[in-house]
Amino acid sequence: MFKYIIKRFFMAILTIWIIATLTFILMMSIPGSPFNDVSDKTSNEAVQENLEAHFNLDQPPVIQYVYYLKSIATFDFGPSIKKPNDTVNELLGRGFPISFELGILSIIVALISGIALGVLAALKHNKIIDYMAMTIAVLGISIPNFVLATLLIQQLAVNLNILPVATWKSPAHMVLPTIALATGPMAIIARLTRSSMLEVLTQDYIKMARAKGLSPYKVIIKHALKNALMPVVTILGTLLAGVLTGTFVIEKIFAIPGMGQYFVQSINERDYPVIMGTTVFYSAFLILMLFLVDITYGILDPRIKIHDEKGD
Amino acid sequence: MNKILEVNDLHVSFSTYGGEVKAVRGVSFDLYQGETLAIVGESGCGKSVTANSIIQLIPKPAGKISNGQILFKDQDITHYTERQMRNIRGVDISMIFQDPMTALNPTLTIGDQLTEGVRQHENLSLKDAKEKAIEMLNLVGIPNPEERLQQYPHQFSGGMRQRIVIAIALICEPDLLIADEPTTALDVTIQAQILELFEKIQEKTNVAIILITHDFGVVAKIADRIAVMYAGKIIESGLKKEIFYNPKHPYTKGLLHSIPRLDQKNEKLIPIDGTPPDLFSPPVGCPFTARCPHAMVACEKVYPLRHEESQSHYVDCWLYDERVKHITKINIKPKEEYK
């Protein structure tokens, strides 16, 4: 187990290095620089040169790359070019907890409601409840979250006035963004749970569990659901990535002060340190999440062993 | 001896998109304590459906017992509700499935799967249940039971798993054990061990066994009585000796001729030509008519009257009717005749 974690750790570093390098190449290849904003009256050539020198942008790309790798290695991405009062780490520290809260909340809501809906649909296979659940699922998959968000605001916040329109202050503020963000993943989870549950329910061990005279609750939760959740865990990693990046759009709509605004702005403004910082940070976070998902496999299914291969 | 089970005129049908499949069409038999009844027949003859409907594990709502009666220890359990059945399943009637590779839940430990039934039914503490589980694993011949309880099914071989399945079925000391092709998925050497285990267990617990199989080798080893099923009906039934040495129905004869034998050199196996009838619309007469070398006009029109060869041996076939002697020419199909 320990060896496995070490191995995964080095794999993660390699992955982050590749992502960082690709990001760097992409940043270098897009035209423009942080200082050629025409609307900025104060900028003149002398000031611009000074600034470039300050952020090492006058150096050749190879040297910049070395500085860049150094900043990743020390987790110090330096100050933002466009927001001189903030360092990248401060931006992350301020924005990420909110984005994380929204993302995790949505994933939890999506998991619970998706699994419940899927199990219900499987148990009532080909009955009205099944059809209703699957209609909800299809709607959830096909309606983009920004459309749903707008509809929710229009109906629940503006017309009925029962929930706040925007921002991120109290639990009531969290309801609409969470629903908007959770619906897509919920629909995917519901469909997966349903089909995998239907398959598991025909297995011999379910019949065997019933032949033991166990209660339906035990047969479904203990014997069927644990096995049916494997595919859900598989896509959980991808869903997490989707939800965490999906927060950017939702944050914009609900005016939530999360990471999204900084990320999108930084790309438009060529704010190199912020682009680097957020990209590397998000990659590291996703790699960690995927690692947790892999560990969950081993817990759910004992046949999947997380162990050290012989001789390594 | 106590009568454990009595099945009277059992009809089971399944409604499908294509129509109603009459899988079991009037099956009657009884079973006494400590006895082994083998239900033999080819695939799709209704033997598994018969077994599953006793414990009400046929897929619902598609399948239903449309007629007949199942008496377990003189109690009519035919129309018991799910709740009532739960108190019978595992406790009074247990079931063993064909494939031990799929009958155990891969994500739960053996110990958990062994004890959950007995804990639910007998309210045993975890410790007592564990002791009982160890006792059962000893009985079915699994070494180091204490350690083995912590392990998962994939850590056991096929034969071991079937032993565990048997242990699970027996842990609440049932009166009736239904074994649905318990050895079909196993190696021949393991088959013999499992059959010996059945014999040992029966001797020890006096449990009645219904053995569903298509393997006459298995039947020869452990059955006391045999019921031969064809197209949803028991067409011949008798003691093991009677069926093996004095088979009456052409179908039974055909089955016995299609088994390879060691004591006869170069003997060709004689297959039974054709396939069983369509159970969407089963024939009114004898269902074997189309494949039978001795078929007569009457066979197609009317289901045979029961001919009692002895007190324990009966056969549903027109060939043994008194009146057949007076028919001058039997319509024998141009085909090699069975002995």
Side-chain angles (χ1 to χ4, degrees), chain B residues 136-149:
Chain B
M136 289 313 296
L137 288 183
N138 271 324
L139 176 72
V140 297
I142 288 190
N144 303 328
E146 289 92 345
E147 286 167 43
R148 291 298 223 171
L149 282 182

Side-chain angles (χ1 to χ4, degrees), chain B residues 155-225:
Chain B
Q155 290 160 301
F156 292 81
S157 67
M160 285 289 193
R161 289 193 210 182
Q162 194 61 302
R163 285 167 192 268
I164 291 163
V165 170
I166 293 169
I168 291 173
L170 292 172
I171 196 162
C172 293
E173 291 154 16
D175 297 307
L176 171 61
L177 181 64
I178 302 169
D180 191 355
E181 312 221 12
T183 58
T184 310
L186 300 174
D187 286 345
V188 184
T189 45
I190 309 292
Q191 280 188 14
Q193 292 176 14
I194 295 292
L195 292 177
E196 269 156 32
L197 178 62
F198 271 114
E199 282 179 326
K200 181 180 139 194
I201 284 162
Q202 196 166 39
E203 218 169 88
K204 207 162 177 176
T205 61
N206 217 12
V207 63
I209 299 177
I210 295 179
L211 181 75
I212 311 289
T213 184
H214 57 252
D215 185 346
F216 265 106
V218 172
V219 175
K221 187 141 174 62
I222 63 168
D224 297 312
R225 276 193 299 138

Side-chain angles (χ1 to χ4, degrees), chain B residues 270-271 273 289-296 329-338:
Chain B
I270 307 165
D273 285 340
T289 313
R291 304 167 78 185
C292 181
H294 310 289
M296 299 171 285
K329 195 184 168 198
I330 294 177
N331 173 23
I332 296 173
K333 290 185 178 171
K335 174 165 58 173
E336 190 182 356
E337 195 189 325
Y338 301 121

Side-chain angles (χ1 to χ4, degrees), chain A residues 204-205 207-208 210-216 218 222-223 226-227 300-303, chain B residues 52 82 86 89-90 97 102-103 105-108 112-113 116 120-121 152 154 168:
Chain A
D204 277 357
Y205 54 79
K207 205 170 167 192
M208 174 109 174
R210 291 185 60 210
K212 281 181 201 168
L214 298 181
S215 64
K218 265 202 171 155
K222 189 173 168 190
H223 284 267
K226 203 175 169 193
N227 286 285
L300 273 182
D301 191 339
R303 284 170 299 181
Chain B
N52 280 315
E82 264 302 295
R86 281 216 300 277
R89 289 186 196 136
F97 296 95
T102 57
N105 190 332
T107 60
L108 299 173
D112 196 356
Q113 297 187 57
E116 61 180 350
Q120 169 156 335
H121 293 303
Y152 290 93
H154 69 277
I168 291 173

